[in-house]
Amino acid sequence: MTCSPTCRHFASGLLVLLLGAGAIAQSLDPSALLKPTADSWPTYHGDYTGQRHSRLTQITPANVHQLTLAWAFQTNQPQQIKATPILVNGVIYITTPDNLWAIDARSARQIWRYAYPANDGFHIGHRGVAVYKDFV
């Protein structure tokens, strides 16, 4: 049986999901998905309300002009980061198609990286990752 480009894309995405599921994450209690702590961003919208709004209060209209760049992380990949980064227990998870990085949020130190083997898959984009318990 031959597989269409759409079928290959789905199959490679599923394989990345299954292989990536073995990647160890900082532990995330499933109940935290319903009410995440203010200093985490465990889902695409931050939480299940879909507001995409942080409850942190340290940055205000009065002090926003004082913000400066604390660090930058280079993926050295041709693809742009388009998916929402996920933040759990001080670790940021960022993705590009076929790549996943775990980065220390305070220092930008790469903790680990997963790279799916080079393939001819149709890379139109992706939706990023999710963290559940100890799995990414």
Side-chain angles (χ1 to χ4, degrees):
M1 178 173 126
T2 60
C3 192
S4 70
T6 302
C7 174
R8 281 193 302 272
H9 178 67
F10 176 77
S12 66
L14 182 59
L15 187 57
V16 167
L17 176 66
L18 293 173
L19 291 175
I24 301 300
Q26 295 293 341
S27 184
L28 176 66
D29 184 331
S31 65
L33 293 171
L34 297 174
K35 290 190 176 185
T37 60
D39 62 346
S40 69
W41 198 265
T43 67
Y44 176 77
H45 294 292
D47 63 18
Y48 285 151
T49 66
Q51 294 181 29
R52 298 182 185 181
H53 179 76
S54 172
R55 294 185 312 264
L56 295 176
T57 58
Q58 291 92 340
I59 300 171
T60 67
N63 68 15
V64 70
H65 69 280
Q66 297 171 353
L67 291 178
T68 60
L69 180 65
W71 56 258
F73 180 81
Q74 296 293 323
T75 66
N76 299 316
Q77 296 295 306
Q79 307 97 339
Q80 297 176 351
I81 297 172
K82 294 182 179 179
T84 300
I86 300 296
L87 173 65
V88 175
N89 295 328
V91 177
I92 296 176
Y93 301 94
I94 59 170
T95 62
T96 63
D98 296 337
N99 293 279
L100 166 62
W101 291 266
I103 302 164
D104 183 285
R106 294 194 182 274
S107 67
R109 180 183 59 84
Q110 179 177 310
I111 299 169
W112 54 260
R113 175 181 177 210
Y114 171 80
Y116 186 74
N119 63 79
D120 293 327
F122 189 51
H123 292 101
I124 60 170
H126 65 287
R127 301 289 185 240
V129 297
V131 175
Y132 180 73
K133 295 187 178 181
D134 292 330
F135 298 98
V136 178

